[in-house]
Structure formats: C-alpha cells, structure tokens
C-alpha cells in the first residue's frame, strides 16, 4: 500500500498544529480547526493501520470529504481528477469528446443528439443509435454514469464505440477521434412566425460563450429586418456563469441599471453588477419563458427583467436557486465548488427556495428564507423566496396519461427510428398527420404496448380486494362491467390526445430529417406557453397592463 499522500497529509497537520499555538482559546476559529484536523488525522491513521480489512486511504479520506460537504448545501461539492472535463464544461463551455449526447430510452443507452461538425456527425453516428460498448467496456443502463469518462478525453485521442442500429439489425463499430467540443448555448434563434418581426431565442445554458452567441444572433437578425418583439426561452435552462447572465441582461436593459447583487459572508464581499452599455435591443417588447427547470443564472436574468419591468415573465415558477458558487482549484487536479454568496435581484429579493440551515448544526448562522413583498420599478408587487413567480402563469405539460406512458416507454423515439430506417429519403415537408397517426398505431400493435391507466389499475385493485374478501358475486360482476366499459373509454384516448401525440411524433421525426434546431421549431405551434407569449406581444393593452405601464 502506498502512503505518499498520507505522509504529506500528516506533515501538513503537524504544521497546522505548530501554528495553532499562536491562536489559543476554545472560541478561536484557528484553534478549533487545528484541533479537529488533529482528530481527523488520528482517525485516518488508526483506521488505515488497524481496521480488520485493508482500507484504501485515498478513498477513505475522500469519503470523509464528501461526508463533510454533504452537511452543507448540495451545490458545494468536491470535484475529483476524473471530472476535470466537467469543470472545463462549467467554466468554458468546452470539453474533449466526440460530439454526442446520450440518454436512456426504454432499456437502452441511446444517442439522443449528434452535434453538427464534430467527429460523431462526420463519421455517421445518428440519433437513435444504441450504445453497447465504449473504449472496450460493455455499456448498459446500470453503468451509464461511467460513459462520460469513457467517451470524453484529450482532443486528438481515439475512442472505439460499438452500436446497434435499425431496430437492432445492424451492429456497427466506430473509431472516433476526440475533438474540443464547444457547447452551443443558443440552440435556436430566428424570426417566428417566419414573416413576422418577432424573434424567438432558445437559450439552453450560460457557459462562457453564451453572451457572444446572443450578440451575434441579434446582430444578424437586426440586419435582416426590424425586431419589434422577442420571446426569450429560458425553460429548463439550469444556469451557469454569473458574469454571463449579467452580460446577457446588458443586451436588453438601459445603461447603468442594477442587474444583481451578491452578498457573501462579510459585508466587504458584497458586489453590485450594473448594465454598462447601451442595450442592443432597447425598445422591442419582451416575454421571458420560465418553468421549474429554470435555475440560477436563468433566475438572475428573469429577476432583473421583472424588477425593471423590462418584459413579461410567463410560464410557471422557477426552481429557486439563489446561491452563488466559486470553483477553487486544489492539488492533484481536483477542485472544490463552494457556495460563497447569495444573489439578490434589483429590488433586493432573494429567490432561494430551500433553507439548508434548518435543523443543521454545522451552519451556525444564515439569512432566513422568508417570503417578503418587494416592488418593481413600476410599483408591481413581487415576492422573495421560492423562485421567480411569473407575471402570467401558463401551465404547459403533457395532459394525457397515454401520452406520458408512450414518452416513458420511449415509443415516440423508437418509432421515429423505425420510420427513418424504413424511409431514409423521405421528404419531411410531405408528412401527413393522418397517415403518421395510423402508422404509429400499427407500430404499437406489433410491439409490447401494454398501457393501463391509473383508473384501470384502481378498478383491478377493487376487484382483487372484493374477490379476496369474498364479497357478493354480483358486486364483483358489476365491477368487471365497469372495467370493461372503462377500457372502451380508454381506447378513445388516442383520439382525445391525438394532437399532443402528433406533436411528439413530428418533433422526433424532425430531429432525424431536419436536425435538432428544426425539432425545436416544429414544437412551437403546439407549445401553449409560446403561443400565449405571442398573444401578449401582439396585444399592446395586455402587455402594458401586465407591466403596469400607463
């Protein structure tokens, strides 16, 4: 067993213990740190040398580190050397890889996105390919967490993948060269409806290049025609870098307006961020779409626009992450991502939802998470805590139980693969909804389609309970009649939820025939929140009323 790191740790402890004498007193922070470091070192030594089984000192100590950090908030984490690429992705929006995104579809680890211009796309990987081997190791749902480490790596190096394709009929091998992958933050931009003066922007992340991507897009669109309104879509955007969120706000807010304030442990750590340039888009009406997946930097942007009445916030309440993290490099290619501040919107409100200090003996003092009223520039009432509450609440979710089942079982995804390989040269523009719907139902009939609604399950439980307790036979017969009638009603769910079934089918096919951008575009006509945003932007009275403009 090698104890080089252990020796260094013990020496470090001795240095701390020597200097600890200069800070006497149980209430002195330095004394308490040195005392507990000494205890930690002794525990590590005793366990490593005397525990009944051999103990890996590295893993043992790191388990202790993770345990300590687990007593704080979930955003303060230790990042080991195997996750260096994750830090590069967070800070720079770059990583070494082949240009694919993977996900679980049914029981398979599947390629769900292929980025344009990178090795995977150039060598022919496709959406729907089932990954069964990477870098010589078998891949399954059980070890999906390891795939990232297997596929990512230094640009210029090679990785081997084996995939199944075409309803598992074909097994293909790929030797792919890793490249520097730059993540696109602005996944869609353009005028929509196409001949209108309304711009739709889908911002999916806040990595280093996000602001520049947005600037270039707006410049390009302004050169094409006048921009009179904008829908900025931050739904399911988990956030990213604080300074990038500030820079994006700078494109819309008047010069010298406060965007966000961060408050650290000491008043000396407080920072105020202002818009520093004239806005690129100062007059255009604006609607920002958010939902429960909009967090962190997304909430900074939405909160600044809301407090300054720059635009209407529409959708559902955001996630509620009002904590700021700083990444600190440590030794041995490791890092510590630590919460160092809280952020506050221009009106002074924190939107942090969860109070991690409750019943927590480790955190000695914290600002309480309490819902308190604040005012926007136009004297509208907004509240702290619990995320950003939209000015116009519009819920957009899958309504049908049947549709949710089809999504969960990846039937839309699998059918799109089946359709694509049966019709590789198909012209998507000629897609007929009725024929598509019929083809999909025929596809389900030939596969393991066993949908049972919650209502049907409840009736089955009643029948089973009645039989077990030997209730009246007539009651059991009546329950079976109800089940039969209910099943007939449920068969009509295909017609009841036909529109949302077609929405999912068309978007999956668009991804395969037209690419990921057009998948986003294809979903917009069916998007209830997007359509509500369009309605508000075309109704000046409704827009002004929501923002208290008179």
């Amino acid at each position: 067993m090698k104890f080089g790191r252990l020796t260094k740790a013990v020496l470090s402890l001795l240095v701390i213990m020597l200097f600890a004498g200069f800070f006497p007193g149980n209430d002195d922070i330095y004394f308490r740190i040195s005392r507990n470091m000494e205890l930690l070192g002794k525990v590590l030594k005793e366990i490593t040398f005397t525990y009944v089984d051999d103990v890996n000192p590295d893993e043992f100590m790191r388990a202790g580190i993770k345990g300590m950090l687990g007593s704080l908030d979930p955003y303060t984490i230790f990042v080991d050397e195997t996750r260096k690429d994750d830090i590069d992705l967070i800070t720079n929006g770059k990583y070494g890889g082949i240009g694919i995104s993977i996900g679980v579809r049914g029981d398979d680890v599947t390629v769900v996105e292929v980025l344009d211009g990178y090795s995977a796309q150039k060598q022919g990987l496709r959406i729907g390919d089932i990954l069964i081997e990477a870098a010589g190791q078998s891949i399954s749902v059980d070890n999906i967490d390891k795939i990232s480490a297997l596929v990512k790596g230094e640009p210029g190096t090679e990785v081997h993948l084996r995939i199944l394709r075409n309803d598992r009929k074909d097994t293909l091998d790929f030797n792919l060269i890793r490249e520097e992958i730059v993540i696109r933050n602005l996944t869609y931009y353009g005028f929509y409806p196409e001949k209108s003066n309304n711009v739709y922007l889908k911002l999916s992340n806040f990595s280093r290049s996000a602001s520049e991507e947005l600037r270039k897009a707006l410049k390009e669109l302004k050169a094409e025609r006048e921009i009179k309104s904008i829908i900025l879509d931050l739904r399911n955007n988990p956030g990213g870098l604080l300074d990038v969120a500030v820079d994006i706000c700078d494109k819309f807010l008047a010069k010298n307006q406060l965007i966000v304030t961060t408050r650290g442990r000491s008043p000396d750590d407080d920072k105020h961020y202002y818009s520093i340039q004239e806005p690129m888009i100062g007059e255009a009406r604006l609607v920002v779409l958010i939902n429960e997946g909009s967090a962190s930097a997304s909430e900074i942007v939405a909160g600044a626009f809301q407090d300054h009445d720059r635009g209407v916030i529409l959708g559902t309440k955001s996630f509620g992450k009002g904590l700021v993290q700083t990444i600190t490099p440590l030794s041995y290619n490791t890092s510590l991502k630590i919460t160092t501040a809280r952020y506050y919107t221009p009106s002074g409100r924190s939107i942090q939802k969860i109070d991690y200090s409750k019943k927590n003996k480790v955190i000695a003092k914290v600002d309480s998470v309490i819902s308190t009223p604040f005012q926007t520039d136009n004297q509208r009432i907004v509240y702290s805590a619990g995320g950003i509450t939209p000015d116009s609440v519009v819920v957009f979710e899958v309504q049908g139980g049947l549709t949710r089942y089809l999504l969960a079982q990846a039937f839309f995804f699998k059918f799109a693969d089946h359709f694509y390989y049966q019709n590789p040269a198909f012209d998507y523009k000629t897609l007929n909804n009725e024929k598509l719907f019929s083809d999909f139902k025929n596809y389900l009939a030939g596969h393991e389609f066993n949908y049972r609604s919650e209502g049907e399950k409840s009736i089955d439980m009643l029948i089973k309970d009645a039989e077990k307790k030997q209730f009246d036979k007539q009651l059991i017969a009546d329950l079976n009649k109800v089940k039969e009638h209910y099943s007939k009603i449920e068969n009509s769910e295909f017609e009841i939820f036909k529109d949302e079934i077609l929405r999912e089918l068309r978007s999956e096919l668009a991804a395969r025939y037209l690419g990921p951008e057009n998948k986003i575009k294809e979903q917009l006509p069916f998007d209830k929140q997007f359509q509500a945003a369009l309605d508000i932007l075309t109704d000046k009275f409704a827009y002004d009323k929501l923002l208290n403009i008179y």
Side-chain angles (χ1 to χ4, degrees), residues 402-420:
L402 172 61
T403 318
R404 288 193 292 272
Y405 172 82
L406 293 169
L407 282 166
Q409 299 300 315
F411 276 116
F412 297 124
F413 191 91
K414 293 175 182 177
F415 170 78
D417 280 342
H418 171 79
F419 188 96
Y420 178 82

Side-chain angles (χ1 to χ4, degrees), residues 437-495:
F437 195 61
S438 176
D439 287 347
F440 181 57
K441 288 197 290 185
N442 290 335
Y443 172 83
L444 293 176
H447 292 75
E448 295 181 4
F449 176 67
N450 300 307
Y451 172 65
R452 293 170 67 241
S453 72
E454 292 302 317
E456 188 174 354
K457 292 176 186 177
S458 297
I459 295 173
D460 283 341
M461 288 179 64
L462 285 172
I463 294 172
K464 186 176 180 180
D465 185 62
E467 290 174 339
K468 181 179 179 180
K469 296 177 179 178
Q470 298 182 343
F471 285 168
D472 182 72
K473 291 183 179 181
Q474 185 59 48
L475 173 61
I476 296 173
D478 289 341
L479 286 172
N480 278 300
K481 287 182 180 179
V482 171
K483 178 183 176 180
E484 183 181 348
H485 183 65
Y486 198 90
S487 297
K488 290 179 181 178
I489 295 174
E490 287 197 331
N491 288 334
S492 65
E493 278 197 53
F494 273 101
E495 293 300 325

Side-chain angles (χ1 to χ4, degrees), residues 371-384:
S371 181
T372 307
F374 290 81
Q375 285 193 336
T376 70
D377 292 353
N378 290 347
Q379 281 73 55
R380 295 186 300 133
I381 301 298
V382 289
Y383 291 88
S384 64

Side-chain angles (χ1 to χ4, degrees), residues 245-246 249-250 252-263 270-276 300-310 343-349 377:
V246 170
C249 288
D250 216 357
F252 296 89
L253 293 175
K255 189 176 180 179
N256 297 323
Q257 283 192 314
L258 179 63
I259 294 172
V260 65
T261 298
T262 62
R263 300 177 192 169
D270 292 1
K271 295 180 181 179
H272 305 278
Y273 297 84
Y274 292 87
S275 51
I276 59 174
I300 291 175
V301 173
F305 290 165
Q306 188 175 53
D307 283 2
H308 289 305
D309 303 297
R310 177 59 187 88
Y343 70 75
Y344 297 81
T345 69
S347 66
R349 56 190 170 127
D377 292 353

